[in-house]
Amino acid sequence: MIRSSSWGQAAPMALFVLLWGSAPIFTRWGLDHGSPLALLILRFLLALAVLLPLAAQREAWLPPRGQRLRVAGVGTLLIGGYSVCYFETLDHAITPGLLATLLGIQPLLTLLLTERRISGWRIAGLLLALCGLALVVLQSLLAAQFPALGILLALATLACMTLGAIGQKSIALPPRQVLPLQYLASLALFLLLTPWRPVSVSWQPGLIVAVVWLGLVISVLAQLLLYRMIRQGNLVNVTSLFYLVPIVTALLDYLLLGNALSPLAILGMGAILGGVALVFRTR
């Protein structure tokens, strides 16, 4: 029974990390054929086209009346605000490696904001994983620039993800009843920004593949897995899984695009794995 329970917890985590780690690869392909805002709008329209019929079958595509505003607000922050700030940060000369490292502070912030008793092992594990993350993206860090607006946008991305995840933890509703409204709220945010940001696409196979993968695999399957883990698990443990995402991305970058892994990156991957193992360490 213990082995079965452990596998039941580990399998969704492993699948989530694998899927989420593929998102940057497909995002890069998509951005080669469309502007960030256009890619976000197409992605979430496709996700809604799948989620709404699934939720309607169970007659639960909206939260109860008293919770709709809070659910929409959390979704606007965690999904809409995070996505816009993430893309805008990259558009303002902040490298993906620097942004990933700044976002690596999220589990530490979550730990400080949500837990009264802080284990030294958990702090050590999070710091070790953060150092490993810096080694994995070291080349990108060395090439980074530090424009003031880009740093502010990166901090806004971190705030949206951290506060949004904490808010989502307090929502005791099944993900299928939450996501449709949150995606609608995020789409409204994207549409409000269209007068100020470019919206353009080139209908090439690369764009279609990217939108289908991001809209169905990431925004439906992976997002449902994430919400399930947030609802059922420890929030610090769940957010620490994001340290594993750059490992998957780096491996896919090597396997699909032929970009070699440096010895420091491999060392960093080992540090991330060790750090995350400490975070999940049983007392």
Side-chain angles (χ1 to χ4, degrees):
M1 289 295 292
I2 295 177
R3 289 182 179 179
S4 177
S5 176
S6 299
W7 172 249
Q9 294 177 356
M13 293 180 181
L15 180 59
F16 168 76
V17 170
L18 178 62
L19 296 179
W20 208 264
S22 70
I25 303 296
F26 287 90
T27 299
R28 181 64 269 161
W29 285 346
L31 290 175
D32 288 340
H33 306 287
S35 63
L37 202 55
L39 189 63
L40 287 172
I41 291 172
L42 292 172
R43 168 183 174 176
F44 286 103
L45 279 174
L46 179 58
L48 268 174
V50 174
L51 283 173
L52 284 176
L54 289 177
Q57 287 180 356
R58 305 194 180 193
E59 299 181 353
W61 73 277
L62 279 176
R65 288 186 179 276
Q67 301 187 47
R68 291 176 186 175
L69 187 60
R70 183 161 66 99
V71 168
V74 169
T76 303
L77 190 66
L78 178 59
I79 298 171
Y82 168 78
S83 300
V84 170
C85 291
Y86 187 96
F87 280 120
E88 289 298 322
T89 300
L90 297 178
D91 198 41
H92 284 79
I94 300 296
T95 63
L98 176 57
L99 180 55
T101 305
L102 289 173
L103 294 179
I105 302 172
Q106 183 204 349
L108 288 166
L109 286 178
T110 304
L111 180 66
L112 295 174
L113 292 172
T114 61
E115 297 193 7
R116 295 181 180 179
R117 296 182 179 181
I118 300 177
S119 164
W121 284 112
R122 288 164 76 77
I123 287 284
L126 291 172
L127 290 175
L128 178 60
L130 183 60
C131 292
L133 173 62
L135 288 177
V136 171
V137 298
L138 181 61
Q139 184 176 359
S140 183
L141 282 176
L142 294 176
Q145 302 177 23
F146 298 90
L149 181 56
I151 294 298
L152 287 175
L153 287 167
L155 294 176
T157 308
L158 174 62
C160 286
M161 176 59 92
T162 304
L163 298 177
I166 293 173
Q168 185 60 39
K169 179 66 176 176
S170 68
I171 297 175
L173 293 171
R176 67 177 182 276
Q177 198 173 358
V178 169
L179 273 177
L181 178 58
Q182 292 186 334
Y183 281 0
L184 282 170
S186 299
L187 266 174
L189 175 63
F190 302 150
L191 293 174
L192 285 174
L193 294 173
T194 53
W196 295 279
R197 301 302 300 164
V199 180
S200 61
V201 293
S202 175
W203 293 103
Q204 303 294 327
L207 175 73
I208 297 172
V209 170
V211 168
V212 170
W213 185 269
L214 294 172
L216 299 184
V217 178
I218 305 301
S219 292
V220 176
L221 180 56
Q223 195 78 30
L224 286 172
L225 283 172
L226 175 62
Y227 274 27
R228 176 188 171 191
M229 292 187 297
I230 287 176
R231 186 184 177 202
Q232 298 179 351
N234 178 276
L235 190 56
V236 176
N237 289 1
V238 173
T239 56
S240 68
L241 292 175
F242 285 97
Y243 284 127
L244 301 175
V245 170
I247 296 180
V248 175
T249 303
L251 291 175
L252 290 175
D253 195 27
Y254 169 68
L255 294 173
L256 298 179
L257 304 179
N259 296 319
L261 296 170
S262 68
L264 280 178
I266 296 174
L267 178 63
M269 291 179 184
I272 290 174
L273 293 173
V276 173
L278 282 178
V279 173
F280 279 85
R281 181 176 179 269
T282 307
R283 296 186 184 185

